[in-house]
Amino acid sequence: MTDNTGDHLETEQKYDADADFVLPDLSGLEGRAKATGPRRYYLSATYFDTEELDLIKNRVTLRRRVGGTDEGWHLKLPVRKDTRQELHAPLGDGGTASIGSVPARLAAQVEDIAAGRPLRPIAILDTERTVVTLTDQAGKPLAEVADDRVTATRLDQPGAEPLIWREIEVEALTSGPGAAGLLDAAGQALRQAGARRSSSASKLGRVLGTG
């Protein structure tokens, strides 16, 4: 559920896919879903952490992202398997990513984890995202399937080659009855088409090799 700040619980599943993977037709899942789209977005996210990577070690991610429908600052805190609490702040809060000033509301949430160590940019992820929305017969959004082609650069390794991969994210857009079943049905369709459940909990974890 989303409140008026944009904060919400995020429940999603991630899948790895090869470059030639073809997204299957997801219409008719659970006997009710309709697939609409696709829509394409170009996203660029700068991720922040301490020099010791305290946030990602605690399964927390903090980023400033431009592009797409929810650009701004995003802080993701673990809740349970496949579910995170996502807190938002407007894009202009905290200055620009190059300055590295994190919005105070989000910085306060990770104050204990950072233990006084400064938060700084650690990686930039550029993503070409193709989105298909699954709706009910009345058009109410139920889930979103994002096909991401990612190019990631670590800022603490000058000259390192970018890491490039493709992943599929399936996110529930409702907490109503059947949400979990729809995610599972979408995951089954993706696996049958050749995708694999991701071993990385987050894009940043993949880049940093922390899982």
Side-chain angles (χ1 to χ4, degrees):
M1 179 177 295
T2 302
D3 63 24
N4 58 12
T5 68
D7 298 347
H8 66 279
L9 282 177
E10 175 191 75
T11 300
E12 68 178 13
Q13 297 177 358
K14 293 176 177 287
Y15 298 86
D16 292 335
D18 296 331
D20 59 354
F21 175 80
V22 177
L23 192 70
D25 182 3
L26 299 174
S27 296
L29 292 179
E30 296 287 275
R32 61 194 175 103
K34 295 172 59 178
T36 62
R39 292 165 289 129
R40 183 165 294 175
Y41 303 98
Y42 295 92
L43 317 172
S44 184
T46 301
Y47 283 78
F48 291 75
D49 207 329
T50 66
E51 186 173 353
E52 293 80 9
L53 305 180
D54 295 290
L55 300 193
I56 194 65
K57 289 176 182 176
N58 285 276
R59 299 172 53 221
V60 172
T61 56
L62 173 63
R63 71 185 179 209
R64 182 184 187 274
R65 188 168 75 186
V66 295
T69 59
D70 65 342
E71 64 179 9
W73 289 87
H74 306 147
L75 174 65
K76 298 187 179 186
L77 307 167
V79 175
R80 56 184 178 271
K81 181 175 169 36
D82 294 333
T83 300
R84 293 185 289 179
Q85 176 72 34
E86 183 170 332
L87 307 180
H88 284 206
L91 194 63
D93 282 15
T96 64
S98 60
I99 297 174
S101 179
V102 175
R105 186 173 86 93
L106 302 187
Q109 293 288 327
V110 298
E111 187 175 14
D112 290 344
I113 296 174
R117 291 181 281 271
L119 298 168
R120 61 187 183 88
I122 58 168
I124 295 176
L125 275 66
D126 295 316
T127 302
E128 179 184 326
R129 169 168 288 182
T130 302
V131 175
V132 172
T133 302
L134 304 181
T135 71
D136 63 15
Q137 296 302 313
K140 177 184 177 181
L142 301 174
E144 185 175 87
V145 180
D147 182 353
D148 289 345
R149 298 174 185 266
V150 186
T151 301
T153 303
R154 289 188 62 161
L155 299 178
D156 60 347
Q157 296 180 350
E161 289 292 321
L163 184 63
I164 299 173
W165 74 92
R166 185 178 180 187
E167 70 178 41
I168 315 295
E169 295 181 353
V170 186
E171 180 179 354
L173 299 180
T174 175
S175 58
L182 183 58
L183 289 192
D184 290 342
Q188 182 177 2
L190 292 171
R191 291 192 299 272
Q192 289 175 344
R196 307 166 300 279
R197 191 66 192 265
S198 178
S199 59
S200 298
S202 69
K203 288 180 172 67
L204 182 61
R206 185 191 296 260
V207 176
L208 301 177
T210 59

